[in-house]
């Protein structure tokens, strides 16, 4: 398939700055970052605590807006959107996967996955039908009516990935998605992300683990609010 050369980058940061006021002082968490991420990339974002990576990812996820500069998602400047428009953009274009899964404890896998579709205005029957398809794609067709307590950690993360995918977003934003999993289950989850990326889905992964970052194709490293490394992954790992 030939790429659309006129299409904007999926993520574009232009001289991005984010500052916070703490105790009368100004903390600059992100300090003039300019970077682009194209459709179909698999990018790992790394950095120590306080490096700015989490602040940057909050802006990629439309959870925050810059103090100055611009963050554009699919050509849309987040700084020009109000809270309702930001929420709508998140629901349509971004699927979130978290370290602790963030599933509703007393809710079945099926209804956990269907929940984002409520905000898309779909009826219950269609929400559940789409959720079933997403869970079956994750190999959880026999676990539809299980609550999180009846699922393993790996199964819970598969439910979370299905929930992220059910709206067919432009990108998956995964924040330490293997942090609560053992090594074998982590490889399984990274294999899912690689297959999604192979099928054309953009995946942006936050991790502090070099072994996990090696599953991506490109690595961005933050330090002191700036990108100090932006390189292809030299020896990319493939999940078995």
């Amino acid at each position: 398939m030939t790429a659309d050369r006129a299409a904007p980058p999926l993520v574009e940061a232009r001289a991005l700055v984010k500052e916070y006021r703490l105790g009368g002082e100004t903390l600059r968490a992100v300090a003039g970052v300019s970077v682009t991420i194209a459709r179909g990339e698999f990018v790992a974002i790394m950095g120590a605590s306080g490096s700015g990576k989490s602040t940057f990812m909050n802006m990629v996820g439309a959870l925050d807006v810059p103090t100055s500069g611009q963050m554009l998602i699919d050509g849309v400047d987040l700084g020009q959107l109000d809270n309702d428009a930001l929420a709508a953009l998140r629901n349509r274009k971004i699927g979130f996967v978290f370290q602790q899964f963030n599933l509703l404890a007393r809710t079945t896998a099926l209804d956990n996955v269907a929940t984002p579709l409520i905000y898309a205005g779909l009826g219950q029957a269609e929400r559940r039908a789409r959720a079933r398809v997403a869970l079956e794609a994750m190999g959880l067709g026999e676990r539809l009516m299980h609550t999180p307590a009846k699922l393993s950690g790996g199964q819970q993360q598969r439910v979370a990935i299905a929930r992220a995918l059910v709206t067919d977003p432009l990108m998956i934003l995964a924040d330490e998605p293997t942090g609560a999993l053992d090594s074998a289950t982590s490889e399984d989850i990274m294999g899912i992300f690689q297959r999604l990326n192979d099928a054309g889905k953009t995946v942006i992964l936050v991790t502090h683990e070099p072994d996990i970052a090696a599953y991506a194709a490109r690595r961005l490293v933050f330090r002191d609010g700036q990108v100090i490394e932006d390189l292809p992954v030299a020896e990319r790992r493939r999940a078995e």
Side-chain angles (χ1 to χ4, degrees):
M1 182 174 64
T2 302
D4 181 359
R5 295 182 181 277
L10 184 53
V11 176
E12 183 175 7
R14 300 175 178 172
L16 196 70
V17 172
K18 183 64 182 181
E19 296 177 338
Y20 298 98
R21 294 286 294 175
L22 291 174
E25 297 184 357
T26 298
L27 171 65
R28 179 166 285 195
V30 174
V33 168
S34 295
V35 68
T36 61
I37 297 174
R39 288 166 174 76
E41 284 202 82
F42 189 161
V43 181
I45 296 184
M46 304 187 71
S49 178
S51 65
K53 71 178 187 304
S54 295
T55 302
F56 176 76
M57 291 306 296
N58 283 340
M59 289 186 280
V60 173
L63 298 169
D64 203 354
V65 294
T67 303
S68 65
Q70 294 174 293
M71 172 62 81
L72 291 86
I73 302 297
D74 196 29
V76 176
D77 185 349
L78 300 188
Q80 302 302 311
L81 303 182
D82 61 20
N83 288 338
D84 288 343
L86 285 169
L89 182 144
R90 286 193 298 271
N91 185 255
R92 293 195 315 272
K93 299 188 177 185
I94 306 170
F96 293 92
V97 180
F98 303 97
Q99 177 177 343
Q100 298 298 335
F101 321 133
N102 287 13
L103 301 176
L104 300 172
R106 295 185 175 88
T107 303
T108 65
L110 187 68
D111 286 334
N112 262 291
V113 173
T115 296
L117 297 173
I118 294 173
Y119 307 103
L122 301 182
Q124 185 183 61
E126 186 173 356
R127 293 198 305 267
R128 286 191 158 193
R130 291 194 185 188
R132 179 185 294 271
V133 171
L135 284 163
E136 288 174 346
M138 291 294 109
L140 294 173
E142 297 181 355
R143 300 287 189 272
L144 301 179
M145 306 312 294
H146 286 53
T147 59
K150 296 180 180 178
L151 299 171
S152 69
Q155 288 171 336
Q156 289 184 62
Q157 195 59 293
R158 284 172 176 261
V159 173
I161 294 170
R163 181 184 57 191
L165 290 169
V166 75
T167 59
D168 192 24
L170 293 177
M171 65 177 167
I172 299 296
L173 191 58
D175 188 1
E176 301 281 2
T178 63
L181 304 174
D182 60 54
S183 58
T185 307
S186 294
E187 181 175 10
D188 179 54
I189 294 300
M190 293 312 300
I192 292 173
F193 286 129
Q194 285 189 328
R195 290 191 292 275
L196 290 170
N197 180 244
D198 291 343
K201 190 68 69 180
T202 305
V203 179
I204 304 175
L205 167 78
V206 176
T207 183
H208 66 277
E209 301 178 68
D211 287 351
I212 296 300
Y215 288 99
R218 176 184 172 195
R219 182 173 60 240
L220 296 176
V221 180
F222 275 73
R223 180 187 296 164
D224 298 329
Q226 298 181 321
V227 176
I228 62 167
E229 181 181 311
D230 180 357
L231 294 171
V233 174
E235 298 182 10
R236 190 180 185 192
R237 299 180 65 181
R238 295 295 305 192
E240 296 295 331

